[in-house]
Amino acid sequence: MDCNIGVISGDGIGPEIVAEAKKVLDRVGSKYGHKFNYTEILMGGCSIDATGVPLTDEAIETALNSDAVLMGSIGGNTATSPWYKLAPELRPEAGLLKLRKALNLFANLRPAYLYEELAAACPLRADIIGDGFDMMIMRELTGGLYFGARETKEVDGVMTATDTLTYNEEEIRRIAKRGFDIAMKRRKKVTSVDKANVLDSSRLWRMVVEEVATDYPEVKYEHMLVDNCAMQLVKDPKQFDVILTENMFGDILSDEASMVTGSIGMLSSASLNDTKFGLYEPSGGSAPDIAGKGIANPIATILSAAMMLRYSFDLDKEADAIEAAVKQVLKEGYRTIDIMPQPGESIEGITQVGTAQMGDLIAERV
Ligand code: IPM
Ligand code: MG
C-alpha cells in the first residue's frame, strides 16, 4: 500500500518524537511491504517564524491532499516565548484550531490505558488500580467554547471578556454516534459527561445523546456531571470504558486521565472526520523545557502512528505489531526518564534510554 502522510513536526520536542515515529513506520513499511511517503507541513511556532502566521493556506491544502497527518506538538513556553506576545489568532495554538476546523476533525479519540509494566508510575493506590484500566475519551473537537464568538471590551468602564459556548443538535449527534460505535467495539459502556445542572448546551447534549443511545440497545449508558467525573477518574477509573464529552470538558478530562496512567508521554490520539482521513498526535504538549535534550518519550507519537495505520489505512495487523513492540520494550525494562521508577522503588532490570534509542528499540521489535 502507498500512503501519503502529511507530517507536522512542529515545535519543542515535536521534531524529535516525530522522527522516532517515522523510524517505526519505515520499519513497518519494509516488513509488511508498504510505502510511506512523507510531506512536511509547517504549523505552529516554526510556521510563525518562517511565514508570520501559524498555519498558511498552502499548509492546509497540503494536509487536505494527504491521506492522513502525523503530528508532533506545537507551541512554546507561554510565559517567555515571543510567540505569545502576538495577537491570539497569530499564536501557535491558533494554527491547530484552524486545522481542526478546516479538516472538520470533530471526533477526538484519546485512549488512556494503564500498562501493567508501568503500574508503578500510576499515582493512584494499588487497591484503586486493581488489575488496571482502559478507557477512551471521545472529545468533540470542533465546537463549543473553542469556536464560539469571543471578545474583550470595555463595558461601562470595566474590561469585560466573553466566550460563547454553542452546540447544535447535529454536532452533538455525530460525535455521540461515533462514541457509541466505538463502545460497540470495546466493553459496550458509554459515560456521557456534561454540566446539565447548569448549562443549556449540556441539557441539549444530554437530550441528543439519550436519543442516540436508543439505537444502541447493547451499550450500557449513563450520564455524569463533569465535576463528578473529574473525581471518579481518580476514585475509580476502572468504571470507565468510553467517556463521551464536549470540547472543553474533554480537554481537561483527557489530561487528567493521562496522568492517571502515569505519564502523558504514553498517550496517543486521533482526530477524525467523516472520511478515512485523520490527524494523529500525542496527547501531550511541546515540552519546551526538555526540547533538544534527546530525553522526550516518543511512545505516544509512535502509538499515534499505530492509530493512523488502524483508522486511516485499515492496516490492523501492522498497528497491532507496533503496539506489541511497545509492550515488549516496556517488558524488557526500557524506560525514558518520565516513566522511570519513582525514588525508593526498585530499578532492578530497568534501563533508562533516550528518545532515539527508544525509537530504535521499538522499531527493532516490530
Ligand atoms: C489539546 C491541547 C490543545 C487543546 C491546545 C494546544 C489548543 O491542549 O490538544 O488538548 O486545548 O485542544
Ligand atoms: Mg489539552
Side-chain angles (χ1 to χ4, degrees):
M1 187 172 186
D2 236 39
C3 308
N4 295 315
I5 302 171
V7 176
I8 299 173
S9 293
D11 310 313
I13 59 170
E16 300 164 55
I17 53 183
V18 163
E20 301 315 309
K22 283 163 74 179
K23 195 186 271 176
V24 173
L25 280 172
D26 289 337
R27 168 82 187 123
V28 168
S30 64
K31 179 158 177 194
Y32 292 90
H34 306 299
K35 181 138 183 11
F36 299 115
N37 310 304
Y38 307 106
T39 310
E40 271 293 331
I41 299 174
L42 275 184
M43 189 173 88
C46 56
S47 173
I48 297 174
D49 293 345
T51 70
V53 293
L55 184 72
T56 61
D57 290 341
E58 300 85 87
I60 295 178
E61 200 53 35
T62 310
L64 277 169
N65 290 330
S66 315
D67 300 323
V69 171
L70 179 67
M71 182 183 145
S73 51
I74 54 135
N77 184 320
T78 51
T80 56
S81 164
W83 298 329
Y84 296 93
K85 297 210 166 63
L86 299 169
E89 67 280 6
L90 291 177
R91 294 179 192 174
E93 287 74 8
L96 178 58
L97 299 187
K98 191 172 168 192
L99 189 67
R100 286 174 181 168
K101 198 68 171 178
L103 301 177
N104 193 27
L105 303 172
F106 65 88
N108 184 217
L109 282 63
R110 297 189 168 184
Y113 171 88
L114 185 71
Y115 283 86
E116 228 179 288
E117 294 77 15
L118 297 184
C122 174
L124 303 179
R125 282 199 322 259
D127 61 308
I128 298 176
I129 299 173
D131 42 17
F133 45 83
D134 174 4
M135 58 193 136
M136 176 72 88
I137 316 256
M138 285 289 297
R139 167 187 177 195
E140 200 292 326
L141 203 59
T142 51
L145 275 172
Y146 277 66
F147 294 96
R150 65 181 100 255
E151 68 173 346
T152 305
K153 64 174 184 194
E154 220 175 279
V155 179
D156 299 333
V158 182
M159 283 303 282
T160 306
T162 308
D163 296 284
T164 341
L165 203 183
T166 304
Y167 270 107
N168 68 43
E169 55 177 312
E170 280 150 24
E171 291 169 313
I172 302 170
R173 196 168 291 118
R174 64 181 181 178
I175 185 75
K177 282 188 179 158
R178 275 294 172 90
F180 279 86
D181 284 341
I182 287 189
M184 282 299 288
K185 295 187 186 158
R186 295 173 47 99
R187 299 194 309 281
K188 300 198 171 85
K189 180 174 177 195
V190 169
T191 305
S192 172
V193 174
D194 61 38
K195 189 70 185 172
N197 53 349
V198 178
L199 303 176
D200 258 32
S201 55
S202 280
R203 288 187 269 268
L204 182 64
W205 180 277
R206 204 173 263 221
M207 214 172 81
V208 174
V209 173
E210 208 139 275
E211 171 201 301
V212 170
T214 59
D215 292 332
Y216 298 84
E218 281 176 61
V219 177
K220 187 160 170 256
Y221 147 72
E222 64 182 5
H223 298 287
M224 193 176 276
L225 294 173
V226 63
D227 47 350
N228 184 30
C229 183
M231 182 180 82
Q232 295 295 334
L233 273 171
V234 286
K235 189 168 171 238
D236 180 20
K238 284 193 297 294
Q239 69 183 290
F240 296 111
D241 179 16
V242 173
I243 293 180
L244 171 65
T245 193
E246 64 93 50
N247 205 346
M248 181 74 154
F249 297 159
D251 179 44
I252 299 168
L253 294 176
S254 60
D255 266 29
E256 186 187 0
S258 73
M259 223 32 236
V260 159
T261 70
S263 170
I264 197 160
M266 296 295 297
L267 292 197
S268 54
S269 89
S271 304
L272 309 174
N273 59 22
D274 273 325
T275 69
K276 277 277 164 198
F277 181 89
L279 169 79
Y280 301 85
E281 55 169 321
S283 286
S286 60
D289 51 320
I290 59 162
K293 295 190 176 155
I295 58 172
N297 185 348
I299 293 181
T301 318
I302 291 168
L303 292 173
S304 300
M307 284 184 100
M308 174 176 78
L309 297 184
R310 199 181 295 288
Y311 290 106
S312 284
F313 301 129
D314 288 320
L315 298 174
D316 285 313
K317 189 170 61 196
E318 291 80 346
D320 289 346
I322 295 180
E323 288 165 5
V326 168
K327 273 199 185 129
Q328 181 60 29
V329 163
L330 294 174
K331 205 164 166 187
E332 289 173 36
Y334 295 106
R335 304 280 189 274
T336 43
I337 187 161
D338 56 306
I339 50 175
M340 279 296 281
Q342 304 298 305
E345 278 162 12
S346 162
I347 53 161
E348 211 191 299
I350 301 289
T351 314
Q352 188 175 323
V353 296
T355 311
Q357 206 183 342
M358 184 55 100
D360 289 337
L361 288 163
I362 295 169
E364 280 160 19
R365 283 156 186 76
V366 161

